[in-house]
Amino acid sequence: MKQSRFWAWVVFGVGAAYFLVPLIATFEFSLRMRRGYYSFDSYASVFADPKFQATFTYSAVIGLLSIIVGILIVVPAVYFVRLRMAWLRPYVEFLTLLPLIIPAIILVYGYIRLYNSSSIIPFTGSATGTDILLTFAYVTLALPYMYRAVDTGMRTIDVQTLTEAAQIAGANTPQIIARIILPNILVAVLSGAFLTFAIVIGEFTIASLLNRPAFGPYLQNIGANRAYEPAALAIISFIITWGAMSMINLLSRFAPPHFCPDGLTHGPLP
């Protein structure tokens, strides 16, 4: 038993070092902008850059819109597939895997070809239209992760029983999805939302080819023209990522309990 624990700790230590050593080295390098001693000048330079604030805000807004659109599409789709069309599940899973197979550059060239200014729907003819196109492109790009997160959450509840109990209580389909199904898979939806946000924040190809002021192209531009600021941006991105993961863990502790079918039969839903 002691021998097994020893090798388990060895494997854990090697794995932790694999991730932590590059992170520590990056952080140490980001502090060496001023010669002779450590300082946070690179971080001050990043936060003082107006483009950092503008691009991060833009990507954050697009990320939130992508999350909302993704939830509105994926949650009802998974619900109906599991409830009424189980035979469609293999085909839906295959379709949601396509964004992992098709490179982002092919995806965005297809969008530009289909929705350019001379097409029937000229999304690329204005900034707002291009933002809408970028949002749907990110929804497509994050579809494999959002779908699997929601599908995993949907497996943990009895969709059939909850739906029948809610229908007896007088609820319609939108009420069932919004007030019964969604609260029960909230943690899974948050996991998919976090993955979507992470994809949007770091994505470069689509935003660059659509010429949008996103955070990904800004990171690439800084990395190509400066030395210490890219290391600082890498640490900042890491902190944002782990902050979002911590929020997911925190919210999962306060997630509402599963709705009991007996509790739904006491009266109609408002």
Side-chain angles (χ1 to χ4, degrees):
M1 182 65 69
K2 291 182 178 180
Q3 188 76 7
S4 177
R5 288 183 179 180
F6 170 77
W7 286 110
W9 279 108
V10 169
V11 173
F12 174 79
V14 172
Y18 178 80
F19 290 101
L20 292 179
V21 170
L23 182 65
I24 295 172
T26 302
F27 178 68
E28 191 270 342
F29 180 77
S30 69
L31 300 177
R32 300 176 61 180
M33 186 174 183
R34 197 179 294 184
R35 291 185 179 182
Y37 56 92
Y38 293 135
S39 69
F40 288 93
D41 289 354
S42 60
Y43 295 88
S45 176
V46 167
F47 286 118
D49 189 354
K51 290 185 178 180
F52 169 81
Q53 304 171 16
T55 56
F56 184 81
T57 301
Y58 176 84
S59 290
V61 172
I62 294 296
L64 291 176
L65 292 176
S66 301
I67 290 170
I68 294 172
V69 174
I71 292 174
L72 292 176
I73 293 175
V74 173
V75 173
V78 177
Y79 170 74
F80 284 114
V81 167
R82 294 195 65 85
L83 182 66
R84 300 175 183 174
M85 298 177 288
W87 59 274
L88 269 179
R89 186 175 176 185
Y91 303 100
V92 174
E93 290 184 348
F94 174 77
L95 289 175
T96 57
L97 284 175
L98 289 180
L100 295 178
I101 302 172
I102 302 174
I105 190 170
I106 295 179
L107 179 66
V108 68
Y109 269 124
Y111 280 145
I112 293 174
R113 179 71 176 174
L114 184 62
Y115 298 114
N116 59 19
S117 57
S118 62
S119 64
I120 299 177
I121 308 177
F123 278 109
T124 58
S126 64
T128 302
T130 309
D131 292 339
I132 295 174
L133 184 60
L134 181 64
T135 299
F136 280 99
Y138 284 154
V139 171
T140 303
L141 208 61
L143 188 60
Y145 310 100
M146 178 65 79
Y147 174 82
R148 269 146 191 80
V150 173
D151 184 62
T152 301
M154 205 80 75
R155 292 181 186 179
T156 63
I157 62 176
D158 191 344
V159 175
Q160 184 72 36
T161 302
L162 290 175
T163 299
E164 292 176 355
Q167 289 174 342
I168 293 174
N172 54 32
T173 300
Q175 287 178 321
I176 294 173
I177 295 175
R179 303 188 59 186
I180 306 299
I181 301 301
L182 188 58
N184 278 275
I185 60 171
L186 182 60
V187 176
V189 172
L190 288 174
S191 299
F194 160 72
L195 293 172
T196 301
F197 188 80
I199 290 172
V200 172
I201 290 297
E203 202 281 327
F204 166 77
T205 305
I206 298 178
S208 177
L209 292 177
L210 289 179
N211 195 27
R212 303 314 299 146
F215 194 59
Y218 171 77
L219 291 175
Q220 191 276 337
N221 182 62
I222 292 295
N225 296 282
R226 300 185 187 180
Y228 299 98
E229 285 83 350
L233 282 170
I235 297 299
I236 292 171
S237 301
F238 178 82
I239 293 174
I240 293 172
T241 301
W242 277 94
M245 292 181 65
S246 300
M247 286 300 298
I248 291 176
N249 292 329
L250 181 62
L251 291 174
S252 65
R253 297 181 181 180
F254 298 99
H258 294 341
F259 285 88
C260 176
D262 294 338
L264 296 174
T265 58
H266 295 313
L269 293 173

